[in-house]
Amino acid sequence: MMKTVTIIGAGLSGLVAAAELLKRGHQVMMLDQEPAQAIGGQAFWSFGGLFLVNSGLQRKFQVKDSYELALNDWMGTARFDRLDDEDKWAVKWAEAYIRFASFEKEKYLKSMGIKFAPVLGWAERGGSSAEGHGNSVPRFHITWGTGPGLIEPFVNYCLAHKSFKFLPRHQVTDLVIANNKVQRISGNILEPSDVERGAPSSRIVIDTFELPVEHLIITTGGIGANHELIKQNWPKRLGKAPAHMIQGVPDSTDGKMLKISEDAGVRLVNKDRMWHYTEGIQNHSPIWQQHGIRIIPGPSSMWFDATGRRFSAPDYPGFDTLHTLESISKTGYDYSWFILTEDIIKKEFVLSGSEQNPDLTGKDYRQILKERLSSQATGPVEKFRTDGADFVEADNLRDLVSEMNRLAGNNLLDYETIKKQIELRDLQVDNPFSKDPQITFINGARHFLGDKLIRTAKPHKFLDGRKLIAVKLHIISRKTLGGIQTDLNSQVFNQHEELIEGLYAAGEVAGFGGGGVHGYGALEGTFLGGCIFSGLRAAIGIDSK
């Protein structure tokens, strides 16, 4: 029987749900507070990273992966500890998602015409133990076309379908649930806006609306642009909330639908779980407020806190994001430093986001070979190096430390202290073995062909006359790991842990599935995948009722 489904939010999870519902013969109405040109939401701006297990690309790179290994990595990273309450459904979602990533996801993506770039990345490498945080093997697959390439087939399918209706500039402000059944939504119609995608749009109200709903999916994203909510929910375990954060998502990622849903009787769980990056730099050409870009680093830069103390394992570049966030927060400062060489920036610096990777976004093989195998850093990295506010360079360490203090506006860094730490590190690189864990990790990473060719510089001494570079790193806001609690069909629970008839939630607003499929930490490439899987499950759930 044909059903009419309303979806709030035009991001990836909503588009997946819409496409799957349309395939099954249902009608879909999608609302979003942003203008039509913003369809696709945050996913458009992403690097397009996707977590896959035992994929064709992994096998080409001779990476041996399995459902069992991936599940162990996921559970060691998630550390679920609220099993009788907030994590009850999150654990089930984690097991289901690993099955999807291992046996179904690649086939599903190919059915939508989605391909992968010939590059396999190794994110969140861990650095503690086999049962702890991190990916045991490379699993980070980059969508051919990055974020725009990922959303394109879903956008095109929906917009071309006769049973799809899109209502941009519709801002939902109220959700009504009665007798444990979704009834209606209402809100504001905002004035038209022609701002470029991602830029803040007008919030001037020109009218209001009210719609009865029988089947409703909430896919409105998280709180990444709402710094007040981030600080309000900041967990004590991560230390003090940063006084200053730059922003990795557009201003529209305001989290307001979470509060609206909770006020209507929806159950929110794991509010204290979030995912913010530690390698943020200020965008030299900002689109949204406090626009930040994340460096996706290789493993070789030396990482120092604001006072010049070198971080220890597992706080190395690309190893354990939340542990490093905790370590930085507990210093009492909201920034840190990379010190590196030109060899490292040329080979190991990748910037997150579709706009920072024009070769991959443009699906240009010739440009990829030129950018990724060149003796120079990529064009976007070089642009930040010359025009970015957070980069300093010098021909010697003394001058570099002086420039770092000038940039920070203080004298926290002591030249002799930093020099001693780098000298001790340099003593460890003369052999293919070392007692310095970071050097050992680098040597290990280079056993993987992908890292050796394009992502990990050959170990070398910093203080042998090379030009040195320092980067001031900011905390950059990004993902909400908790949210609306749902069952495995993305159906929403009320505050008495009863399913609400007709109400579903998918994507980041639902903690990427079940109210927190990642637990306390993520393995990367799992956010977009969580949007896809939870949107798919919502469509299946509605269709099966």
Side-chain angles (χ1 to χ4, degrees), residues 448-459:
F448 169 50
L449 183 62
D451 269 4
K452 186 173 184 178
L453 289 176
I454 63 172
R455 281 296 280 149
T456 306
K458 184 178 180 180

Side-chain angles (χ1 to χ4, degrees), residues 1 3 5-7 12-26 28 93 108 154 215-219 487-491 503-507 531-545:
M1 182 178 71
K3 297 169 183 174
V5 183
T6 305
I7 301 175
L12 179 60
S13 57
L15 289 166
V16 171
E20 293 305 313
L21 287 163
L22 293 167
K23 289 177 188 177
R24 290 163 169 79
H26 304 294
V28 176
W93 268 90
Y108 174 72
F154 298 103
H215 299 92
L216 176 68
I217 310 176
I218 301 171
T219 64
D487 73 357
L488 285 175
N489 282 326
S490 294
Q491 190 170 355
L503 185 59
Y504 298 78
C531 289
I532 291 168
F533 186 52
S534 58
L536 182 61
R537 292 306 309 171
I540 292 171
I542 291 172
D543 182 64
S544 65
K545 289 291 186 179

